[in-house]
């Protein structure tokens, strides 16, 4: 119905719609195009001050040089070591806590739910000092384990909110029928509810993977060494190590952006299903 509505609009409105989409697309892609163009420039272009023009030739060797002249491979491995356990831990906790909040009725149900909701509105910057002190006192500072545990704890609130609302929309008659048949609560969760949650799990996994992989703030607050820093913090250190070699930093940025993009396209079908399933329920 949306194309029909545009066709019925006035000519001026149609022109506005047709112009707004490409302009928005260009503005959205402009930074990415700038980084991609810089990643293909030879060092001689940047030394000559050619920051915004076209490259004199396409230096695809920058993508090989960023691996040979910097520890970016180690940074990428560290990102996977942080991101994958975080996705598994946060989604697993959210499935269990979301099931409890959506299915069981107890006095503190709404209070606990509102605590999860309120936690999402706390500015994470104000937690920088206490979180850093906590990791230092527990021996988890500058460790992959400490960064992963923090992300699991911080993402659990949003993930629980997401899962609770999704499970709330599932047909409760299935759970009641299973209880009448004498099925245990854990088997109800594992064999009835969890299979129905697969689209939501896929959508949430993509979101959390992207959030954690692209995190820069906590990566610089809780890690300091090349052995533990993920790729976002590692790119910042490349900026200091290779001061004049912006082509390597840009090539590293493009490489670092690939895993979330691949994750989205691989899970695109389940991601869209998970986000739209609740909207199609009657």
């Amino acid at each position: 119905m949306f194309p029909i509505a545009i066709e019925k609009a006035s000519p001026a409105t149609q022109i506005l719609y047709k112009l707004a989409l490409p302009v928005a697309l260009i503005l959205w892609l402009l930074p990415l195009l700038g980084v991609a163009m810089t990643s293909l420039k030879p060092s001689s272009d940047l030394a000559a001050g050619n920051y915004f023009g076209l490259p004199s030739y396409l230096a695809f060797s920058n993508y090989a040089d960023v691996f040979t002249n910097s520890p970016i491979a180690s940074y990428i491995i560290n990102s996977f070591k942080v991101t994958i356990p975080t996705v598994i831990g946060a989604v697993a906790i959210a499935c269990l806590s979301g099931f409890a909040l959506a299915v069981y009725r107890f006095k503190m149900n709404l209070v606990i739910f509102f605590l999860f909701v309120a936690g999402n509105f706390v500015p994470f910057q104000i937690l920088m000092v206490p979180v850093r002190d906590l990791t230092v006192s527990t021996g988890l500072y500058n460790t992959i384990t400490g960064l992963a545990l923090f992300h699991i704890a911080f993402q659990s609130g949003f993930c629980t909110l997401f899962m609770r609302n999704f499970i709330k929309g599932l047909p409760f008659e299935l759970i009641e029928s299973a209880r009448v048949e004498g099925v245990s609560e854990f088997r109800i969760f594992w064999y009835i509810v969890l299979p129905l949650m697969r689209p939501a799990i896929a959508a949430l996994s993509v979101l959390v993977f992207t959030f954690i992989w692209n995190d820069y703030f906590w990566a610089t607050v809780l890690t300091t060494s090349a052995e533990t820093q993920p790729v976002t913090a590692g790119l910042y250190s490349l900026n200091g190590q290779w001061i004049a070699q912006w082509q390597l930093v840009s090539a590293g940025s493009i490489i670092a952006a690939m895993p979330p993009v691949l994750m989205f396209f691989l899970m695109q079908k389940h991601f869209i299903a998970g986000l739209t399933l609740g909207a199609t329920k009657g």
Side-chain angles (χ1 to χ4, degrees), residues 2-22:
F2 187 66
I4 297 175
I6 293 179
E7 292 176 357
K8 292 183 178 179
S10 63
T13 304
Q14 293 183 29
I15 294 174
L16 179 63
Y17 284 144
K18 292 177 181 179
L19 288 177
L21 182 59

Side-chain angles (χ1 to χ4, degrees), residues 150-172:
F150 168 78
H151 280 308
I152 291 174
F154 199 78
Q155 294 295 327
S156 294
F158 167 75
C159 295
T160 298
L161 172 65
F162 187 96
M163 284 299 183
R164 183 261 186 191
N165 291 338
F166 184 88
I167 296 173
K168 202 75 172 175
L170 297 178
F172 192 71

Side-chain angles (χ1 to χ4, degrees), residues 44-45 48 52 78 97 103 105 125 138 141 149 163 182 196 206 257:
S44 57
D45 281 12
F52 304 104
N78 291 342
S97 56
V103 174
R105 296 181 179 89
Q125 292 87 350
T138 55
Y141 182 70
L149 288 176
M163 284 299 183
L196 298 175
V206 173

Side-chain angles (χ1 to χ4, degrees), residues 89-163:
V91 173
I93 292 173
C95 289
L96 294 171
S97 56
F99 175 77
L101 291 173
V103 174
Y104 301 124
R105 296 181 179 89
F106 50 94
K107 289 184 178 179
M108 300 296 291
N109 187 304
L110 282 179
V111 175
I112 296 175
F113 174 68
F114 284 131
L115 287 176
F116 278 111
V117 175
N120 292 295
F121 294 98
V122 176
F124 59 85
Q125 292 87 350
I126 67 175
L127 301 175
M128 179 178 66
V129 174
V131 168
R132 183 186 180 279
D133 292 343
L134 178 63
T135 56
V136 170
S137 61
T138 55
L140 294 174
Y141 182 70
N142 194 33
T143 63
I144 292 176
T145 302
L147 185 58
L149 288 176
F150 168 78
H151 280 308
I152 291 174
F154 199 78
Q155 294 295 327
S156 294
F158 167 75
C159 295
T160 298
L161 172 65
F162 187 96
M163 284 299 183

